[in-house]
Amino acid sequence: MGYKKPSSCSADKLATAKFPSWGSTYTVIRHKFLIDATRSLLQTHGFNIVNEEYRATGDCNIAQGIYHIESKQDSELGMMFAWTNSYNKQIRFQCGVGAYVFVCNNGMIAGDMASYARKHTGNADSEAFNQITNQIKNANKYFTKLLKDKESMKAVTLSSKEQAELVGRLFIEEELLDSSQVSCIKKEMNKPSYQYGVGQDTGWAFYNHVTHALKLAHPRSWMKHQQTFHEFMIAECLSQSTIQSSDTNNIESDPVNPNQLTLDKAIEEATNEIELPDGRVIDELDAAEPMNEIIIEEEDYDFMID
């Protein structure tokens, strides 16, 4: 399927983008609503935004907002909040707390409680506001977990062969990477663009090579791929490392349930998506169950932000 190539854009461009009317099948969540709500809620909860990044397709039908938040907890990672939204039914609204690497702006997003996805139906707009609020309220807890994961990955040793095998699995089995991203990772493994303060044979160096390549992902898949890759690294490197460390040092660790259903898998099992002849992807529920259209206007949410 061919998607329109995304590019960097301004908040003003997203705020003034024309949004379509989908009749009785779609709840429009305006990009401007998400920008205003995120800025206000971060400020209300004591977070200072140091940088904002926006990407969108040329028509702004698919858009992404990434907010770098000031944090003095760690010398290598800063806090991040991100959302993805669409006007054309190709993706659900998504938001999540994560982290970014200072030297390169590579992202980290865990795939558990620190993320949320919602179809554009019913009261999706008010639920989106509530989820942004909940995510931000718990941001410090999520960020602390990512800091621990980062330190754990530094202690994991991965040979060049092991890294190559993981890249192959991410490309063939997990389908998280395309050929251009695999090529990017290969270049980074041979000659890194940044220094991450660790050896090239560590899990943390490999993690950054992959997240650097994931910057090339389309906004519609960037957040999901970031989450899935983080889960992949936890399962393939950190979980086994934690178990071995526990056996050696008698340190208690939480058991890992191999049958645990991840957020992305739960979403996939709970919904069915169909592809239309023009290339758009919509939920089967959207096509089969008409609902009253709700378009949230600027004046409707002024009272929600305090």
Side-chain angles (χ1 to χ4, degrees), residues 222-241:
W222 176 79
M223 185 172 289
K224 178 179 178 180
H225 286 184
Q226 288 274 356
Q227 295 167 357
T228 304
F229 173 60
H230 193 88
E231 291 178 349
F232 178 88
M233 288 294 289
I234 295 295
E236 295 299 320
C237 299
L238 298 194
S239 295
Q240 188 62 33
S241 176

Side-chain angles (χ1 to χ4, degrees), residues 149-166 198-207 233 236-238 240-242 244:
D149 289 346
K150 182 254 295 183
E151 293 300 323
S152 296
M153 279 187 266
K154 286 185 175 182
V156 173
T157 300
L158 292 175
S159 66
S160 296
K161 180 180 179 180
E162 289 172 325
Q163 293 183 41
E165 290 173 347
L166 291 175
V198 292
Q200 284 295 97
D201 61 345
T202 63
W204 181 236
F206 175 73
Y207 188 97
M233 288 294 289
E236 295 299 320
C237 299
L238 298 194
Q240 188 62 33
S241 176
T242 301
Q244 292 173 350

Side-chain angles (χ1 to χ4, degrees), residues 11-228:
D12 289 341
K13 181 178 179 179
L14 292 184
T16 57
K18 181 180 179 181
F19 59 93
S21 174
W22 287 99
S24 60
T25 64
Y26 204 67
T27 300
V28 177
I29 304 175
R30 295 182 63 183
H31 301 328
K32 184 180 188 313
F33 168 76
L34 296 175
I35 293 170
D36 292 345
T38 300
R39 287 171 171 172
S40 180
L41 288 169
L42 284 171
Q43 182 180 15
T44 298
H45 289 86
F47 295 108
N48 180 38
I49 300 173
V50 296
N51 186 48
E52 299 180 10
E53 296 180 4
Y54 298 98
R55 296 172 67 210
T57 52
D59 53 13
C60 293
N61 276 337
I62 297 178
Q64 175 186 77
I66 299 176
Y67 303 80
H68 293 167
I69 304 167
E70 183 179 15
S71 175
K72 298 180 181 179
Q73 295 184 50
D74 192 81
S75 61
E76 297 174 307
L77 295 184
M79 190 182 294
M80 177 181 72
F81 182 81
W83 55 259
T84 304
N85 191 43
S86 76
Y87 287 167
N88 60 5
K89 297 189 177 184
Q90 286 192 0
I91 58 171
R92 300 171 176 84
F93 163 73
Q94 303 168 71
C95 68
V97 173
Y100 70 99
V101 183
F102 288 137
V103 297
C104 58
N105 288 340
N106 290 348
M108 292 181 72
I109 302 179
D112 47 23
M113 291 179 62
S115 58
Y116 169 80
R118 175 64 160 86
K119 291 188 300 181
H120 290 70
T121 56
N123 60 342
D125 37 34
S126 60
E127 284 190 22
F129 182 90
N130 292 335
Q131 281 299 324
I132 293 174
T133 303
N134 292 334
Q135 294 288 329
I136 292 174
K137 283 182 178 179
N138 291 286
N140 285 317
K141 179 179 68 175
Y142 300 142
F143 185 58
T144 298
K145 180 184 182 301
L146 291 175
L147 293 179
K148 292 179 179 177
D149 289 346
K150 182 254 295 183
E151 293 300 323
S152 296
M153 279 187 266
K154 286 185 175 182
V156 173
T157 300
L158 292 175
S159 66
S160 296
K161 180 180 179 180
E162 289 172 325
Q163 293 183 41
E165 290 173 347
L166 291 175
V167 172
R169 290 182 56 194
L170 289 167
F171 176 65
I172 297 174
E173 295 179 3
E174 304 295 330
E175 298 184 345
L176 287 184
L177 305 172
D178 58 27
S179 57
S180 64
Q181 290 169 324
V182 170
S183 178
C184 177
I185 295 171
K186 181 180 179 181
K187 291 179 181 178
E188 291 299 309
M189 289 174 62
N190 292 331
K191 187 178 180 180
S193 300
Y194 305 95
Q195 296 300 317
Y196 304 108
V198 292
Q200 284 295 97
D201 61 345
T202 63
W204 181 236
F206 175 73
Y207 188 97
N208 277 280
H209 297 334
V210 176
T211 53
H212 180 70
L214 287 178
K215 291 176 183 176
L216 302 174
H218 194 284
R220 77 181 306 276
S221 58
W222 176 79
M223 185 172 289
K224 178 179 178 180
H225 286 184
Q226 288 274 356
Q227 295 167 357
T228 304

